[in-house]
Amino acid sequence: MPAASICRLRKGMVIFMGQKNNVICSYLSNPVVFADFINGSIHNGEKVVFPDQLMDRERVTHLKENPPPVKRPPGKPKYVERQRDSLKAVFGGDYYIVIGIEAQNKVDYAMPIRCMEYDVTEYKRQLRERSRSREGKLSGGEFLSGMAKEEKLNPVITIVFYHGEEPYDGCMDLHDMLELKEENKTCQRIVYKRFIADYHVNLVKAGDLDEGNFETGLLCIKSLRCKIPVLFFFRVPGKD
């Protein structure tokens, strides 16, 4: 997602210029705002996550593209780059969790697959990091798996922050995207449904949030659903 242009106006204030969704993505990249969003949307305003607990994670992913109609020269596979809006590791006293925020002003009807793809990419990145930092070599099944039996990965959560004008009518989980109609109970697809893994979308809608749960510029969060100009004024936390 391209970043919005930012210029300082005076102490404690900045002007964000750009498309609405890009502006919000840029604002959420601030660790104070990120923590405020998590506390306000997940923890009902309770201060659970603090800015000094946050660390940026790599947001860029590379995916192989399907073979093109015209044969590409050997040794030159094409990769498609995708970039998450915001991704940070949260370090607590007894936990470490990775949280991503995807800001949306339009409904993405394939969002369950998109979230699943993002999360799997982060888990695979953790596996690579474990492999690089591991002392000693693995053997047997551990070698084939790429991780030791006692090792655990850190949980990954993706939150979809919808601030669009239209009601959100997208699929809320992977099963909603699949042809699994239940009118015909004898349909073989229904028989296999319980074997099909599901993936849920963690949706946060701007219009449903309590502004009293926020302390930063997110206080005016419900106004984000309006047709606001490309020029935005936001208070920069910690710059008063």
Side-chain angles (χ1 to χ4, degrees), residues 22-229:
N22 297 343
V23 169
I24 293 174
C25 292
S26 295
Y27 192 54
L28 285 170
S29 67
N30 184 298
V32 178
V33 178
F34 189 98
D36 190 39
F37 179 85
I38 299 302
N39 290 333
S41 61
I42 295 181
H43 301 291
N44 296 317
E46 182 182 353
K47 290 187 176 181
V48 176
V49 176
F50 296 88
D52 59 2
Q53 293 177 282
L54 303 177
M55 183 181 73
D56 287 332
R57 294 286 291 170
E58 175 60 58
R59 296 184 296 130
V60 176
T61 64
H62 296 85
L63 304 173
K64 276 187 179 181
E65 193 180 55
N66 290 331
V70 180
K71 189 175 181 181
R72 185 178 289 117
K76 292 186 177 181
K78 184 176 180 181
Y79 289 85
V80 178
E81 180 179 291
R82 292 191 181 181
Q83 182 167 298
R84 301 197 65 166
D85 293 341
S86 186
L87 185 67
K88 297 183 186 294
V90 182
F91 294 89
D94 58 351
Y95 67 91
Y96 164 22
I97 189 169
V98 178
I99 300 179
I101 302 174
E102 295 300 314
Q104 292 287 126
N105 62 348
K106 300 291 184 183
V107 178
D108 185 339
Y109 293 100
M111 187 56 78
I113 292 179
R114 180 175 159 192
C115 291
M116 181 169 60
E117 177 186 297
Y118 282 147
D119 293 351
V120 168
T121 299
E122 173 59 26
Y123 285 127
K124 291 173 68 175
R125 181 177 289 119
Q126 291 185 35
L127 282 173
R128 291 195 298 271
E129 291 172 346
R130 294 290 178 90
S131 178
R132 288 194 296 265
S133 62
R134 184 182 297 114
E135 296 182 2
K137 296 182 178 180
L138 300 177
S139 60
E142 292 182 334
F143 175 78
L144 294 175
S145 304
M147 67 182 297
K149 180 180 178 180
E150 67 276 4
E151 287 182 335
K152 301 295 181 183
L153 300 179
N154 298 302
V156 182
I157 297 173
T158 293
I159 298 172
V160 177
F161 175 41
Y162 180 69
H163 55 90
E165 301 166 45
E166 302 299 325
Y168 193 91
D169 60 353
C171 296
M172 291 302 299
D173 55 52
L174 181 60
H175 279 191
D176 285 346
M177 294 182 62
L178 305 180
E179 187 59 68
L180 292 171
K181 296 178 181 178
E182 299 188 8
E183 287 84 354
N184 184 358
K185 298 296 183 179
T186 62
C187 177
Q188 288 301 308
R189 283 176 293 200
I190 300 305
V191 174
Y192 291 120
K193 181 178 180 179
R194 64 190 181 96
F195 297 101
I196 302 173
D198 203 358
Y199 211 85
H200 181 71
V201 173
N202 299 307
L203 180 67
V204 171
K205 294 183 284 188
D208 293 343
L209 293 175
D210 183 350
E211 294 174 354
N213 289 341
F214 301 92
E215 297 182 343
T216 63
L218 295 172
L219 283 166
C220 57
I221 202 164
K222 289 191 177 180
S223 66
L224 297 176
R225 301 177 65 237
C226 303
K227 289 185 177 179
I228 52 181

